[in-house]
Amino acid sequence: MIIKIKTMLILFLAFYFFSCNIDMNLFSNYWFKNDNFDFNVYPVLKKTDEEFKILLLADTQLEFHFESFTAISQTFELIENEILKHKPDLIILLGDNISGGGFVNSSAAQRLIMFLDSFKIPYALVMGNHDGYGYFWTEDDNSKEVIANIYKNGLYSLFQRGPANLGAGNYGINILNDEGLLIYSLILMDNSRGYFTKMQVDWYEWFIAGINNLKYDQYYNLNDKPIPSMSFFHIPLPETSSLYDELKVTNPPLAAEYFREEVGGRGAKNFGMFEKMKQMQSTTHLFFSHDHLNILNYEYQDIRFIYGIKTGYCYYFSPDRIGTTLITISDCVLPNEIKVDISYSFY
């Protein structure tokens, strides 16, 4: 009897897996801790001038329907003017790039990519909580995959789908100087569900360790310090709420100036991303958005927290806080040092 049951179970499982047509490459795009780090997997950009400029666009939230046409055209005009003014080497979009559902999101994403491609400047994106909306305006993994593929296929897009078990869009971009030496790494991550998973924290550690284990002649010797990096994601870390709470006590006017709405990441699951960043001593700046009314450029526990200001006129905004954020990376007067300037460009 027991043998018959086992036989039936085996036959059932065999039929189930056959009928489901299991993809044997299911785990081929998964990341594991023991994977070797390959520098050549990630896009590389060269700093050929004295300055390398990154233009940040945040919460553009394009949604193509009748009522939004004016807001979208105004937003595109703003972006075009900012690109022509700053002439950036790279454009990064901080998530909530679109904000519809189902095919509305797909059409908005395609139009956004066509618009960005027209400038013939490399650009990269992170996913926001709105980028993966499905037909019922809720997070949907299938819709997220569709949007990720649209972002990836742009002619000048550096977006990478990244490991499938980490979300959609966990990857790096490395900046080299004119001698071909690595001077800064940009780490783009997907926390569109509101938090970073423990596996993403491990991936971040793996990426930083991989960068710093490169041969000596492949990167700048920053006085024996780790290779500096910046991190870009959509929803603020929970520590941003701690920063806000601290400022409300120590400097209420500054807290009121920076924060006009509650921090979106408050109360989110916390698997220690910020603690890992401090431990690795590489990341110098964090860039995020999500909260349209807030601005912030403040050093907290030796890492600078920066809100990318809302770009454009789709969805809610403060009229005096519309524009872009500019990052300027340049050589400092001291040998083997890099200078980073952050400025808001209000439109």
Side-chain angles (χ1 to χ4, degrees):
M1 182 66 179
I2 295 176
I3 295 175
K4 285 185 177 181
I5 293 175
K6 287 184 176 179
T7 302
M8 290 177 63
L9 180 61
I10 291 171
L11 290 173
F12 172 77
L13 291 174
F15 173 77
Y16 174 80
F17 285 117
F18 177 78
S19 63
C20 290
N21 192 23
I22 295 298
D23 183 0
M24 298 308 292
N25 295 318
L26 180 64
F27 300 106
S28 63
N29 191 34
Y30 275 31
W31 171 84
F32 299 97
K33 279 186 176 182
N34 60 351
D35 286 350
N36 292 324
F37 179 83
D38 185 356
F39 180 83
N40 297 315
V41 167
Y42 303 102
V44 167
L45 294 174
K46 282 198 173 183
K47 173 182 169 294
T48 55
D49 297 325
E50 292 183 2
E51 298 178 335
F52 186 95
K53 292 186 287 188
I54 303 170
L55 187 66
L56 294 186
L57 312 179
D59 294 287
T60 51
Q61 291 200 276
L62 306 180
E63 181 178 0
F64 285 85
H65 53 72
F66 181 76
E67 293 83 359
S68 66
F69 281 167
T70 301
I72 289 172
S73 63
Q74 290 176 324
T75 298
F76 277 175
E77 181 182 0
L78 183 160
I79 294 172
E80 181 174 3
N81 289 339
E82 290 291 285
I83 290 174
L84 294 176
K85 178 171 71 174
H86 297 295
K87 297 179 174 59
D89 301 285
L90 173 66
I91 301 167
I92 294 181
L93 289 84
L94 282 173
D96 278 6
N97 314 303
I98 54 179
S99 187
F103 70 87
V104 175
N105 250 9
S106 297
S107 106
Q110 290 167 352
R111 181 65 187 88
L112 173 62
I113 294 305
M114 289 174 59
F115 172 71
L116 293 172
D117 278 337
S118 70
F119 297 102
K120 300 182 180 180
I121 296 171
Y123 58 88
L125 311 93
V126 299
M127 301 290 279
N129 52 295
H130 284 274
D131 291 87
Y133 270 15
Y135 287 102
F136 298 100
W137 277 257
T138 56
E139 187 87 14
D140 179 82
D141 286 341
N142 291 327
S143 294
K144 197 171 186 180
E145 289 299 322
V146 170
I147 300 305
N149 282 327
I150 293 172
Y151 289 166
K152 181 184 69 174
N153 290 329
L155 293 176
Y156 291 86
S157 173
L158 303 181
F159 177 87
Q160 291 187 337
R161 170 62 182 79
N165 55 338
L166 299 180
N170 295 270
Y171 60 107
I173 299 171
N174 294 305
I175 301 176
L176 311 182
N177 68 2
D178 53 5
E179 298 175 1
L181 305 179
L182 176 59
I183 59 173
Y184 242 105
S185 280
L186 314 179
I187 305 171
L188 296 92
M189 294 183 285
D190 172 20
N191 71 342
S192 59
R193 293 190 184 277
Y195 60 92
F196 289 112
T197 65
K198 177 61 169 63
M199 190 169 289
Q200 283 180 292
V201 176
D202 292 340
W203 177 85
Y204 166 85
E205 180 180 19
W206 171 87
F207 185 94
I208 297 298
I211 288 295
N212 285 283
N213 286 334
L214 295 173
K215 293 180 180 179
Y216 176 81
D217 61 354
Q218 287 184 265
Y219 60 86
Y220 237 20
N221 176 20
L222 293 168
N223 300 326
D224 297 322
K225 297 178 183 178
I227 296 298
S229 62
M230 302 175 184
S231 293
F232 302 82
F233 43 88
H234 181 64
I235 298 176
L237 293 178
E239 285 77 10
T240 312
S241 297
S242 302
L243 189 165
Y244 179 31
D245 294 341
E246 184 177 299
L247 281 179
K248 283 191 290 187
V249 174
T250 61
N251 195 336
L254 188 60
E257 177 187 345
Y258 282 150
F259 298 92
R260 292 183 181 174
E261 63 177 312
E262 185 53 78
V263 177
R266 184 182 292 276
K269 297 177 184 178
N270 192 343
F271 292 97
M273 179 63 85
F274 185 59
E275 291 303 314
K276 183 60 66 177
M277 289 174 170
K278 292 193 296 181
Q279 176 190 332
M280 300 303 289
Q281 298 182 340
S282 167
T283 295
T284 59
H285 299 71
L286 306 179
F287 297 92
F288 44 85
S289 54
H290 187 63
D291 307 319
H292 302 184
L293 307 184
N294 294 342
I295 61 173
L296 180 68
N297 183 354
Y298 192 85
E299 187 169 302
Y300 181 68
Q301 298 187 27
D302 299 322
I303 297 179
R304 189 158 287 275
F305 283 56
I306 298 113
Y307 268 112
I309 60 171
K310 171 130 176 61
T311 304
Y313 302 90
C314 299
Y315 284 73
Y316 75 95
F317 60 89
S318 289
D320 61 335
R321 290 186 173 180
I322 289 287
T324 61
T325 309
L326 186 68
I327 307 168
T328 304
I329 302 173
S330 58
D331 294 323
C332 192
V333 292
L334 299 175
N336 296 335
E337 288 288 353
I338 304 298
K339 181 181 179 184
V340 177
D341 289 314
I342 311 296
S343 61
Y344 287 132
S345 180
F346 296 105
Y347 194 72

